[in-house]
Amino acid sequence: MATWANLGLQDSSSPLMEQLNFFHDHTLLILTMITILVGYIMGMLMFNKFTNRYLLHGQTIEIIWTVLPAIILMFIAFPSLRLLYLMDEINTPSITLKSIGHQWYWSYEYSDFLNLEFDSYMVPTNELETNGFRLLDVDNRVVLPMNNQIRILVTATDVLHSWTVPSLGVKVDATPGRLNQLNFLINRPGLFFGQCSEICGANHSFMPIVIESIPMNFFIKWITSMTN
């Protein structure tokens, strides 16, 4: 989860988020190189007192400063397109989770099991335990198995919402009358926090998401206890 003075991205908890982190660093390095080069040239122009009176045109340099940015953009565009297609790729899912956005809470349905659905509300500050996170903890967490392909179907009943968990690299709009689909894999156990990322009314800030990632054998025990 995000902490104070955390200026970078959250630690990745899925292969997709790892790739997004790498792409972020890759793009930032290119931007840093461009900024330093342009800053150096502008500095030289400002403080250089010499002038070439005979320089009327320079086709060579014009070709260079036209072709070079195009090549740099290709180094950004190709990895970006690869990631876009990876994010849309739907592998064979082990589990399907349906998330329904309401004003202002989430409902979850485990489509592979009978009668396994619940609402997830934010825990009010006055009911929060000592080790709880204010405005982030919920009364019913989403429990999912680690190292398994998970498909999430997202929709809404009233207004636009957005189901977002930054450390998993997951963000999908919840649109009334439309079912959006996303695929992800959690590669480590733990608690992962997210929030609605689409302004949806007065209590938009108070509909958090908590995913609890556990090994498959514990997940089977949890499913058994919930369905009995």
Side-chain angles (χ1 to χ4, degrees), residues 10-19 21 166-168 187-188:
Q10 294 183 27
D11 291 340
S12 62
S13 304
S14 71
L16 183 62
M17 190 59 195
E18 282 181 11
Q19 293 296 316
N21 269 330
S167 60
L168 299 178
N187 58 14
R188 63 190 175 98

Side-chain angles (χ1 to χ4, degrees), residues 150-169:
I150 296 156
R151 173 174 57 189
I152 180 160
L153 306 172
V154 182
T155 187
T157 57
D158 35 47
V159 297
L160 288 174
H161 300 279
S162 184
W163 198 86
T164 307
V165 183
S167 60
L168 299 178

Side-chain angles (χ1 to χ4, degrees), residues 38-96:
V38 172
Y40 172 75
I41 293 171
M42 288 180 67
M44 290 294 291
L45 287 171
M46 289 171 66
F47 298 107
N48 186 9
K49 296 180 181 178
F50 297 104
T51 307
N52 187 344
R53 293 187 298 155
Y54 303 103
L55 182 63
L56 299 176
H57 64 87
Q59 286 187 344
T60 307
I61 189 67
E62 286 177 4
I63 291 170
I64 290 171
W65 71 40
T66 303
V67 172
L68 196 61
I71 294 171
I72 291 171
L73 284 174
M74 286 170 63
F75 275 97
I76 296 175
F78 287 138
S80 174
L81 286 170
R82 172 180 164 271
L83 268 177
L84 279 173
Y85 280 104
L86 275 176
M87 291 170 75
D88 272 344
E89 188 72 30
I90 300 296
N91 299 306
T92 307
S94 303
I95 286 170
T96 299

